[in-house]
Amino acid sequence: MEHTYAPWRSAYFGSKSEQCIFCLLSSGISLETHAKSNNLAEFDTENRIFYRDSHIFCVMNKFPYTPGHFLIIPHIHTHSPELLDAEVWLHLQRYAQKGVALLKEFGAQGINMGINIEKAGGAGIPEHIHMHLVPRYIGDTNFFTTIGDTRAYGVDFDAIFKRIAELSQKHFKP
């Protein structure tokens, strides 16, 4: 049996909270200071949320597989799509479609898009459904990653967030 190790994700596995991280983000709390605001969007930049509406919000993945990896998350706390209202589910799908166009303009040469349902299905946060949009680039999985046990993230995370947020203004119009 072969094993693939991803040591760059070790901080994720050691950072489990008693509260659902996605519900905290949805509610507008600062993840750094735990401050709460009446303005849901006050801490969005700090939390790397670049879009929100009444059904969903979009946030950069804190532990991205590739530059530009983001999540689309319904505000409702549920673990499986059949439990979502059809309107929310279809809204999430519409924004996934828009997210593909956004990532293509960002420079993605391909995109992985999907939802891991339940722990056995690979969900890292199985209690709150979320869709991953992972931009792919020729050569993003290579010797350095697969054999060298290291991932090179050669771009600035904040610059990527700013660019994705900028593109969302164009692509995520209602």
Side-chain angles (χ1 to χ4, degrees):
M1 175 184 293
E2 293 183 34
H3 296 277
T4 301
Y5 295 96
W8 61 90
R9 293 180 50 84
S10 63
Y12 163 75
F13 295 108
S15 65
K16 293 294 183 188
S17 169
E18 293 293 318
Q19 296 178 289
C20 172
I21 189 72
F22 295 150
C23 288
L24 291 173
L25 288 169
S26 174
S27 70
I29 196 166
S30 165
L31 294 184
E32 287 185 24
T33 66
H34 303 288
K36 179 80 169 118
S37 174
N38 291 331
N39 175 4
L40 287 179
E42 181 175 343
F43 300 112
D44 281 359
T45 299
E46 173 187 311
N47 291 332
R48 302 303 186 254
I49 295 171
F50 60 88
Y51 178 81
R52 71 166 59 237
D53 62 31
S54 62
H55 295 303
I56 60 154
F57 65 99
C58 299
V59 63
M60 300 302 294
N61 190 309
K62 188 172 181 179
F63 302 99
Y65 295 119
T66 61
H69 178 178
F70 71 88
L71 308 173
I72 303 174
I73 307 168
H75 292 292
I76 187 109
H77 181 87
T78 189
H79 65 283
S80 194
E82 80 275 8
L83 302 173
L84 285 174
D85 179 77
E87 181 182 357
V88 174
W89 176 249
L90 292 173
H91 188 77
L92 187 148
Q93 296 302 314
R94 278 193 295 277
Y95 277 81
Q97 195 174 34
K98 293 176 183 204
V100 169
L102 182 157
L103 288 174
K104 285 182 177 180
E105 185 169 343
F106 178 70
Q109 297 167 311
I111 297 161
N112 293 129
M113 178 174 70
I115 299 173
N116 298 323
I117 302 168
E118 308 283 356
K119 187 173 183 171
I125 300 175
E127 65 273 8
H128 197 133
I129 193 167
H130 53 285
M131 177 178 281
H132 291 260
L133 275 83
V134 182
R136 301 305 306 266
Y137 311 93
I138 302 299
D140 64 12
T141 301
N142 55 31
F143 171 82
F144 198 59
T145 301
T146 57
I147 305 299
D149 200 24
T150 304
R151 170 131 336 172
Y153 199 82
V155 291
D156 180 73
F157 189 80
D158 290 332
I160 290 171
F161 168 70
K162 288 175 186 169
R163 180 66 178 142
I164 295 289
E166 178 184 288
L167 289 170
S168 74
Q169 298 295 311
K170 173 182 175 183
H171 292 277
F172 285 12
K173 293 179 181 173

